[in-house]
Amino acid sequence: MRSGKMKALMKKEGAFGAVLTEVPIPEIDKHEVLIKVQAASICGTDVHIYNWDQWARQRIKTPYVFGHEFSGIVEAVGENAGNVKVGEYVSAETHIVCGKCVPCLAGKSHVCTNTAIIGVDTAGCFAEYVKVPADNVWKNPADMDPAIASIQEPLGNAVHTVLESQPAGGTTAVIGCGPIGLMAVAVAKAAGASQVIAIDKNEYRLALAKQMGATRTVSIEEEDPLKIVSALTSGEGVDLVCEMSGHPSAIAQGLAMAANGGRFHILSLPEHPVTIDLTNKVVFKGLTIQGITGRKMFSTWRQVSQLLSSNVLDLLPVITHQFPLEEFEKGFELMRSGQCGKVILIP
Ligand code: ZN
């Protein structure tokens, strides 16, 4: 077993920012594996932790190493690590589930009642090494770019959000074009949506949405999304709305632009309770609202892997920046500014 020190990006105390430092390489138990990180991606959650906002203050216990989206090579395995072997090229599902609660037993472990999250509740991957339960390991094809392999977890969120509906031949709107929104645009297009309407206020990200296959982009600073959607759908509205923004006004617009009998899938996490017109915008429209959390384990991972390895999805345009871990501040500043897609850190 490898021992000694590694470089790691730590949240040392409850304050803005993070510190690059040296910490002991994690020790694994018999159900865990140690992975040498090749690429780690910055998630919106990591930005919350970096900013030390309200959510982070309530959830995160410092000091600890954060980060949870990664790819790497298995360095060591515990004696009960099952079929995971040293040298394998892997990524990991970030939800650590109990396998014993009713949702887990019923095959719905993405809504396990005892979920812990790698890099939120445990030490994460902004480091040379990360340990994860062997059950969380997902094996990658040898020729997959490590940066692409590191964003399979958020891509899984996009795939889960879009493919819980049947987008082929229908219309999809994606509200909020952060990295997962951009990936949702690509997934909807790949899945055969006849129109994919991408809505945001950030021009940089709307340009990326266009690259990812959006048939129409709408800047809310310049146009009324409801009017545009109505014009593009002969007044019917869109069959699937993917809510990725978390803004109350965008949520109200999203419900209004959904077609009667349509679907409204919410991946965003609004900061506060949101008031919606259930009577007119949901009940009388026969709308189906679905919350999306995590990835189905592991059917979503299988879809993600196959969409990427078959080149049905090309996610390279979403990865706009890569930095060595030492330059983490550049990466986090970009993420805070919104002038980027996915930002990758290389330890
Ligand atoms: Zn469970």
Side-chain angles (χ1 to χ4, degrees):
M1 169 85 55
R2 180 169 286 271
S3 61
K5 297 265 190 180
M6 66 174 186
K7 64 181 172 191
L9 189 55
M10 279 199 93
K11 198 72 197 176
K12 274 213 161 153
E13 53 191 24
F16 177 86
V19 180
L20 189 68
T21 184
E22 282 212 321
V23 300
I25 293 173
E27 284 180 22
I28 55 172
D29 75 19
K30 57 187 179 180
H31 299 288
E32 293 175 324
V33 305
L34 184 70
I35 298 164
K36 188 167 197 327
V37 179
Q38 286 190 308
S41 168
I42 302 177
C43 172
T45 301
D46 301 321
V47 180
H48 288 292
I49 294 167
Y50 192 85
N51 287 343
W52 203 244
D53 67 8
Q54 189 72 27
W55 171 83
R57 272 176 245 156
Q58 285 171 359
R59 177 72 183 259
I60 303 295
K61 290 185 181 69
T62 59
Y64 91 121
V65 177
F66 65 130
H68 58 271
E69 302 172 357
F70 70 95
S71 62
I73 305 290
V74 177
E75 177 88 10
V77 298
E79 58 190 289
N80 292 344
N83 66 347
V84 183
K85 296 182 185 62
V86 171
E88 286 184 318
Y89 172 38
V90 300
S91 291
E93 165 57 45
T94 54
H95 286 186
I96 300 173
V97 298
C98 73
K100 297 181 176 68
C101 70
V102 169
C104 277
L105 293 174
K108 298 178 185 170
S109 49
H110 60 293
V111 285
C112 168
T113 49
N114 302 303
T115 302
I117 304 177
I118 293 168
V120 173
D121 304 305
T122 71
C125 66
F126 291 151
E128 287 178 90
Y129 296 92
V130 62
K131 70 170 182 176
V132 304
D135 286 346
N136 286 59
V137 167
W138 180 262
K139 298 179 186 184
N140 296 324
D143 60 356
M144 187 178 280
D145 178 336
I148 293 285
S150 78
I151 64 170
Q152 290 177 104
E153 193 254 22
L155 172 58
N157 289 131
V159 166
H160 189 184
T161 305
V162 174
L163 297 188
E164 283 291 291
S165 73
Q166 295 179 329
T171 49
T172 296
V174 176
I175 303 178
C177 294
I180 298 179
L182 293 170
M183 293 190 248
V185 166
V187 173
K189 194 77 172 87
S194 60
Q195 296 191 67
V196 183
I197 303 162
I199 302 166
D200 203 298
K201 61 179 178 186
N202 177 328
E203 293 293 344
Y204 181 96
R205 285 180 164 168
L206 286 172
L208 279 174
K210 196 96 200 167
Q211 254 183 293
M212 299 312 293
T215 54
R216 177 71 152 83
T217 57
V218 181
S219 167
I220 57 167
E221 306 279 16
E222 285 161 21
E223 295 180 300
D224 177 355
L226 289 179
K227 279 188 187 156
I228 304 289
V229 165
S230 178
L232 290 170
T233 59
S234 311
E236 285 181 38
V238 284
D239 301 301
L240 169 66
V241 176
C242 300
E243 186 358 74
M244 308 276 189
S245 77
H247 290 290
S249 57
I251 291 167
Q253 282 186 334
L255 290 168
M257 74 176 65
N260 286 7
R263 300 187 67 97
F264 191 83
H265 293 181
I266 310 174
L267 183 75
S268 68
L269 305 171
E271 251 182 88
H272 304 289
V274 175
T275 301
I276 60 175
D277 182 354
L278 275 173
T279 302
N280 295 302
K281 295 297 190 297
V282 179
V283 177
F284 282 135
K285 291 179 77 163
L287 212 63
T288 302
I289 298 183
Q290 182 165 348
I292 304 286
T293 183
R295 298 137 298 277
K296 288 185 173 171
M297 296 156 73
F298 279 83
S299 56
T300 305
W301 280 87
R302 185 163 173 273
Q303 291 171 316
V304 162
S305 184
Q306 296 186 2
L307 285 166
L308 288 173
S309 55
S310 61
N311 293 318
V312 168
L313 273 188
D314 175 14
L315 286 194
L316 272 179
V318 171
I319 298 175
T320 53
H321 299 82
Q322 299 199 34
F323 298 109
L325 185 59
E326 286 77 4
E327 295 177 29
F328 67 90
E329 282 170 323
K330 285 186 192 170
F332 277 95
E333 278 315 310
L334 273 166
M335 286 291 286
R336 283 160 48 80
S337 75
Q339 298 302 301
C340 61
K342 266 295 187 190
V343 177
I344 309 290
L345 299 175
I346 309 290

